[in-house]
Amino acid sequence: MVDYYSGHSKYLFAVDCVVFGYEEGELKLLLYPRAFEPVKGKWSLMGGFVMPQESCEQAACRVLHQTTGLQNIFLEQVATFSNPDREEYTRVISVAHVALIDIRQHNHELVKEMGAEWWPLSNLPELIFDHEDMIREALALLQQKAGYSLVGIELLPDKFTLLQLRKLYEAIYQRKFDAGNFRKKVLSLDALEKLEEKNLTESRKGAFYYRIRYSQSDTETERIVKF
Amino acid sequence: MVDYYSGHSKYLFAVDCVVFGYEEGELKLLLYPRAFEPVKGKWSLMGGFVMPQESCEQAACRVLHQTTGLQNIFLEQVATFSNPDREEYTRVISVAHVALIDIRQHNHELVKEMGAEWWPLSNLPELIFDHEDMIREALALLQQKAGYSLVGIELLPDKFTLLQLRKLYEAIYQRKFDAGNFRKKVLSLDALEKLEEKNLTESRKGAFYYRIRYSQSDTETERIVKF
């Protein structure tokens, strides 16, 4: 038993978090200037090493909590980045995670203390290592999931108008959607609940608020696969 | 620089391959009896440790080549399994990969030498560690991808009838599809090319063979997201 395991190399194992927020009609990413060498001061995703008693999901939760003050947020593995030379000085394998947070809810003081900043996806600074690849894959995953579920909704407040939802989808897919088709498609999913209350800022008539029907989430995939 | 990296634990890092084939109308999985302690002799996915000069994708390719004789096959990360206690004796982090192979093309001798066997998905033996979780997640990924692309097609010969394609989809989703709706949906994707040649074994009139139009693959996601 010992023989089988002992002959093999061990590696440093880390997590990086692609933290998406949504503000002023666009997706933003939380980045921070790396606090240590190598590449100290360069912009980086939020990350950290996995500790002996942690899974990578637990490590990602810890990193997110330490850096945003938030708990119980949407978090999912994107992919594991394991090219032997992805860091210049030593081999570190890293699992990229995507996190979706309500940008209004995070701890601004914590973020400020670390020197972290929200950068618009359309205008990111140069990033260390393969962090740009991680972001590209995280966005692709988000787009894919948003095609069969209302996954992006974590980025909105609990209640939202269909206009707000469409603007979010336009930010996720980085293109415009026809208002009528979008409305029809989203309502056909039967995943939203219409509230009595109206948002009166969007138009003179006002627009009804909606919220998600969580009980529906399991059957969404089924509904899009229409065979 | 050294300080930052040196204080952290290192771990064994492995890959496991969920190898799907398709035969006699059902999905099958290639499993082998583990050749060493611990849990020697118990059924396991095909796996191995990641070597210093390899990424996990390269390690998975190597494992697949060593065990099936095949190269250039469909291979994709499913997820990284990193619970600290997923193996009883030591900590091993493992990236599960899904592989789709044409079951008629693999090296039967190699497989036989290792004592490996093709097991129907509907009737798997007891597996070591968290390999059942890996299979469940691999199947879910396959179903998800098959909902917006013709990913499962790697399991079929190069040319196939719509009946054969529907039977494959029924095996992937583990349920029946209406023949007419399936035909309509699949052809609407505009991803298949109809050949002149017919398969004469399915009916008196025969059924046309189709093959995939590879140039279409990039736009499939777009087409299913219909907003």
Side-chain angles (χ1 to χ4, degrees):
Chain A
M1 174 177 101
V2 172
D3 284 343
Y4 174 65
Y5 289 108
S6 64
H8 297 280
S9 299
K10 294 184 172 189
Y11 309 101
L12 288 166
F13 184 59
V15 292
D16 284 295
C17 297
V18 182
V19 183
F20 284 112
Y22 175 69
E23 199 176 41
E24 295 160 2
E26 65 181 332
L27 286 184
K28 294 189 173 177
L29 271 176
L30 190 58
L31 303 174
Y32 76 114
R34 191 157 143 119
F36 35 78
E37 294 295 349
V39 293
K40 183 174 173 178
K42 289 219 174 169
W43 291 97
S44 165
L45 295 171
M46 325 294 286
F49 287 104
V50 175
M51 299 196 296
Q53 74 282 14
E54 285 179 328
S55 67
C56 60
E57 289 81 6
Q58 288 166 332
C61 281
R62 173 177 53 77
V63 165
L64 282 170
H65 182 59
Q66 285 169 347
T67 54
T68 68
L70 296 172
Q71 276 176 314
N72 299 319
I73 60 188
F74 177 93
L75 183 72
E76 197 161 301
Q77 276 189 27
V78 176
T80 294
F81 288 73
S82 63
N83 280 343
D85 56 356
R86 56 178 295 278
E87 293 202 19
E88 207 173 327
Y89 305 91
T90 188
R91 183 169 189 180
V92 182
I93 290 159
S94 181
V95 188
H97 290 74
V98 59
L100 303 181
I101 79 177
D102 183 340
I103 206 167
R104 291 165 297 277
Q105 303 293 322
H106 74 287
N107 185 326
H108 294 258
E109 290 306 310
L110 260 182
V111 165
K112 217 169 167 180
E113 254 172 50
M114 302 185 66
E117 287 178 22
W118 288 96
W119 288 77
L121 188 59
S122 57
N123 185 27
L124 297 177
E126 198 184 326
L127 290 161
I128 63 168
F129 310 141
D130 49 9
H131 287 197
E132 278 170 35
D133 298 332
M134 290 178 170
I135 292 171
R136 193 165 38 244
E137 290 202 25
L139 182 64
L141 179 69
L142 186 57
Q143 290 174 341
Q144 211 177 74
K145 293 187 80 87
Y148 62 81
S149 73
L150 292 173
V151 66
I153 231 139
E154 286 82 359
L155 296 162
L156 290 178
D158 287 342
K159 56 184 186 185
F160 46 83
T161 66
L162 291 182
L163 175 64
Q164 288 168 343
L165 185 61
R166 176 161 60 83
K167 291 289 173 198
L168 170 67
Y169 263 65
E170 291 181 346
I172 291 174
Y173 285 97
Q174 301 180 299
R175 65 183 182 87
K176 297 281 176 202
F177 291 114
D178 176 80
N181 287 348
F182 181 85
R183 181 189 179 87
K184 197 173 142 194
K185 173 75 176 185
V186 158
L187 294 180
S188 79
L189 293 177
D190 203 27
L192 294 180
E193 184 183 353
K194 190 176 181 176
L195 304 182
E196 297 292 325
E197 195 183 345
K198 272 187 171 181
N199 174 334
L200 297 168
T201 66
E202 285 175 5
S203 67
R204 205 183 303 170
K205 277 192 344 192
F208 281 106
Y209 279 117
Y210 287 79
R211 71 173 167 218
I212 198 156
R213 237 196 274 274
Y214 280 100
S215 60
Q216 295 293 335
S217 57
D218 284 346
T219 53
E220 279 156 29
T221 310
E222 187 72 13
R223 233 178 284 118
I224 304 246
V225 179
K226 288 201 203 81
F227 292 122
Chain B
M1 175 177 100
V2 172
D3 285 342
Y4 174 65
Y5 290 109
S6 65
H8 297 280
S9 300
K10 294 183 172 192
Y11 309 101
L12 289 165
F13 185 60
V15 292
D16 285 296
C17 298
V18 182
V19 184
F20 283 112
Y22 175 70
E23 199 177 41
E24 294 161 1
E26 65 180 333
L27 286 184
K28 294 189 173 178
L29 271 176
L30 189 58
L31 303 174
Y32 77 113
R34 190 158 144 119
F36 35 78
E37 294 294 351
V39 293
K40 184 175 173 176
K42 288 222 173 164
W43 291 96
S44 167
L45 295 171
M46 325 295 285
F49 287 104
V50 174
M51 298 196 296
Q53 74 281 16
E54 284 179 330
S55 67
C56 59
E57 289 81 6
Q58 288 167 331
C61 282
R62 173 177 53 79
V63 165
L64 282 170
H65 182 60
Q66 285 169 348
T67 53
T68 67
L70 296 173
Q71 274 175 313
N72 298 321
I73 59 186
F74 177 93
L75 181 74
E76 197 161 302
Q77 276 190 26
V78 175
T80 294
F81 287 73
S82 63
N83 279 341
D85 57 355
R86 56 178 295 278
E87 293 202 20
E88 207 172 327
Y89 304 92
T90 187
R91 182 168 188 180
V92 182
I93 291 159
S94 181
V95 188
H97 290 73
V98 59
L100 304 181
I101 79 177
D102 182 341
I103 206 167
R104 291 165 298 276
Q105 303 295 322
H106 73 286
N107 186 325
H108 295 259
E109 291 306 310
L110 260 182
V111 166
K112 216 169 169 180
E113 255 172 49
M114 302 184 65
E117 286 177 24
W118 287 96
W119 289 77
L121 188 59
S122 58
N123 185 28
L124 297 177
E126 198 183 328
L127 290 161
I128 63 169
F129 311 141
D130 49 8
H131 288 197
E132 278 170 34
D133 297 332
M134 290 179 171
I135 292 170
R136 191 163 42 243
E137 290 203 25
L139 182 63
L141 179 69
L142 185 57
Q143 291 174 341
Q144 212 177 72
K145 292 186 80 86
Y148 62 81
S149 73
L150 292 172
V151 67
I153 233 141
E154 286 82 358
L155 296 161
L156 290 178
D158 287 341
K159 56 185 186 182
F160 46 83
T161 66
L162 291 182
L163 176 64
Q164 287 169 343
L165 184 61
R166 175 161 59 84
K167 291 288 173 199
L168 170 67
Y169 262 66
E170 290 181 347
I172 291 174
Y173 284 97
Q174 302 180 298
R175 65 184 181 86
K176 297 283 179 203
F177 291 114
D178 176 79
N181 288 348
F182 181 84
R183 180 189 180 86
K184 197 174 143 196
K185 173 76 176 182
V186 158
L187 294 180
S188 79
L189 294 178
D190 202 27
L192 294 180
E193 183 183 355
K194 192 175 180 176
L195 304 180
E196 296 292 324
E197 197 184 344
K198 272 187 171 182
N199 175 333
L200 297 168
T201 65
E202 284 176 5
S203 67
R204 204 183 301 167
K205 277 193 341 192
F208 281 106
Y209 278 117
Y210 287 78
R211 71 173 167 218
I212 198 156
R213 236 196 274 274
Y214 279 102
S215 60
Q216 295 292 335
S217 56
D218 284 345
T219 53
E220 279 155 29
T221 309
E222 187 72 15
R223 233 177 283 117
I224 304 244
V225 178
K226 288 203 205 79
F227 291 122

